[in-house]
């Protein structure tokens, strides 16, 4: 197990802190990718909730395998393919997003590879949740016991890395019906459905602000935190950069639905 050095051992690098509220998830993803690709500074972006709900898939996600397309089309739920890896989530006003964007040398002893980044963030949030239930990093998820409340995805370039998390402060069980049981899932999940597998952070912490304050305090053991300028979104919006996060079109979803139906047809005939 890697032991990461902290403030007592090295001079603290600066990290810009950007707090958002209800910023649309597509806008957030575009900003994150621009900061990853065009900035040389370290960033922490915290966004509290979005409305209406949206489904966000990893860069290689297949909608026919991951979402209930017929109900998604019927209800008009937007489906976004982000630029990072990871699984599929539905996000809404109960979601808290925390994104860390760092230079490869920002954290001593951290190697810019998925496992090393996950291990470091597990220690980081272990500090934030110290004394709160049974926090653990299980495979690539943050859990209390064996109940998931945080899903992660990463994007790594030659000189920088990004780690973003969707935390379930609360969630609407009905929204989870838009997601299919993934074929590839963590071993600890077993065959549990979303209701049996997930938990809401509100049952473990008094307020969202408590969680955010604890997260910032944990980051302060590694970084000198600096409030980002309020116009940072606008200034970086003008940076020329091709965004990889895209909204799936109705035609793309209809084609995926047709494929989904074709897969189901042999099973229906057997029954």
């Amino acid at each position: 197990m890697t032991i990461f050095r902290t403030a007592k051992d090295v001079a603290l690098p600066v990290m810009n802190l950007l707090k958002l509220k209800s910023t649309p998830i597509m806008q957030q993803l575009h900003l994150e990718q621009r900061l990853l690709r065009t900035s040389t500074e370290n960033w922490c972006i915290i966004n509290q909730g979005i409305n209406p709900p949206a489904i966000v898939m990893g860069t290689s996600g297949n909608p026919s395998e991951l979402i209930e397309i017929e109900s998604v089309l019927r209800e008009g739920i937007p489906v976004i393919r982000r630029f990072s890896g990871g699984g599929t989530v539905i996000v809404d006003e109960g979601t808290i997003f925390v994104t860390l964007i760092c230079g490869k040398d920002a954290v001593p002893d951290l190697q810019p590879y998925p496992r090393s980044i996950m291990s470091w963030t597990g220690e980081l949030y272990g500090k934030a949740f110290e004394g709160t239930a049974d926090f653990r990093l299980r495979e690539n998820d943050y859990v209390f016991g064996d109940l998931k409340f945080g899903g992660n995805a990463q994007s790594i370039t030659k000189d920088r890395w990004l780690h973003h998390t969707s935390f379930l402060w609360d969630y609407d069980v009905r929204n989870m019906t838009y997601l299919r049981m993934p074929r590839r899932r963590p071993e600890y999940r077993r065959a549990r459905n979303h209701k049996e597998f997930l938990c809401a952070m509100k049952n473990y912490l008094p307020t969202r602000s408590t969680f955010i304050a604890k997260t910032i305090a944990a980051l302060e053991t590694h970084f000198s935190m600096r409030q980002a300028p309020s116009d940072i979104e606008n200034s970086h919006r003008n940076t020329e950069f091709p965004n990889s996060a895209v909204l799936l079109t109705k035609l793309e979803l209809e084609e995926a639905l047709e494929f989904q139906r074709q897969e189901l047809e042999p099973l229906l005939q057997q029954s």
Side-chain angles (χ1 to χ4, degrees):
M1 177 180 175
T2 303
I3 304 298
F4 297 101
R5 287 177 285 165
T6 62
K8 295 179 181 179
D9 308 296
V10 294
L12 289 176
V14 173
M15 173 172 275
N16 298 293
L17 174 63
L18 178 61
K19 291 184 180 180
L20 308 173
K21 191 164 186 179
S22 302
T23 296
I25 186 60
M26 183 68 87
Q27 183 177 327
Q28 177 185 333
L29 289 168
H30 286 174
L31 175 63
E32 290 176 357
Q33 191 174 20
R34 286 196 295 275
L35 292 175
L36 174 66
R37 295 284 183 173
T38 66
S39 173
T40 58
E41 298 182 279
N42 303 309
W43 296 86
C44 172
I45 302 172
I46 301 174
N47 185 18
Q48 293 194 58
I50 65 161
N51 193 34
I55 292 171
V56 184
M57 301 191 308
T59 186
S60 59
N62 184 342
S64 65
E65 293 182 9
L66 298 168
I67 63 176
E68 297 292 351
I69 302 173
E70 190 168 1
S71 58
V72 164
L73 283 168
R74 184 175 60 249
E75 301 298 329
I77 305 295
V79 180
I80 295 167
R81 192 189 305 280
R82 65 178 177 265
F83 62 89
S84 57
T88 300
V89 294
I90 184 161
V91 295
D92 57 23
E93 59 189 359
T95 310
I96 302 175
F97 306 92
V98 181
T99 299
L100 304 173
I101 306 171
C102 294
K104 66 177 183 179
D105 299 321
V107 179
D109 305 316
L110 185 149
Q111 299 298 312
Y113 300 108
R115 185 170 296 181
S116 181
I117 296 169
M118 281 300 316
S119 177
W120 179 75
T121 64
E123 290 187 20
L124 178 77
Y125 286 110
K127 295 173 185 173
F129 291 112
E130 192 170 2
T132 303
D134 179 20
F135 170 80
R136 281 183 285 173
L137 169 64
R138 297 200 64 172
E139 299 181 47
N140 294 323
D141 299 333
Y142 301 140
V143 302
F144 290 135
D146 65 350
L147 299 177
K148 176 179 176 178
F149 68 91
N152 302 288
Q154 298 173 349
S155 182
I156 302 171
T157 68
K158 179 183 176 182
D159 298 313
R160 291 168 67 71
W161 56 266
L162 172 149
H163 178 90
H164 46 195
T165 306
S166 348
F167 288 100
L168 296 177
W169 177 256
D170 196 7
Y171 64 94
D172 187 335
V173 175
R174 294 171 297 179
N175 285 342
M176 297 301 166
T177 62
Y178 296 120
L179 305 181
R180 304 187 98 186
M181 175 73 79
R183 294 176 184 176
R184 293 179 59 189
R185 52 186 181 268
E187 185 176 343
Y188 81 93
R189 178 173 182 167
R190 302 184 295 278
R192 290 182 292 167
N193 62 34
H194 287 92
K195 188 175 181 180
E196 297 168 328
F197 176 56
L198 301 174
C199 69
M201 293 169 63
K202 70 173 187 178
N203 297 325
Y204 299 85
L205 291 168
T207 65
R208 297 176 191 235
S209 298
T210 301
F211 163 65
I212 292 170
K214 285 176 174 287
T215 297
I216 294 171
L219 284 168
E220 286 175 334
T221 65
H222 296 275
F223 297 93
S224 175
M225 302 301 289
R226 177 177 67 188
Q227 191 70 39
S230 58
D231 63 345
I232 195 69
E233 285 186 90
N234 293 328
S235 62
H236 279 269
R237 193 173 294 146
N238 297 324
T239 304
E240 289 294 331
F241 186 80
N243 294 302
S244 303
V246 296
L247 178 69
L248 270 62
T249 65
K250 183 180 179 183
L251 178 59
E252 287 175 310
L253 291 174
E254 288 173 342
E255 290 174 347
L257 176 60
E258 182 60 30
F259 184 80
Q260 200 173 74
R261 285 171 171 166
Q262 290 173 4
E263 279 194 319
L264 286 173
E265 191 172 340
L267 297 175
L268 294 173
Q269 290 175 351
Q270 289 176 11
S271 61

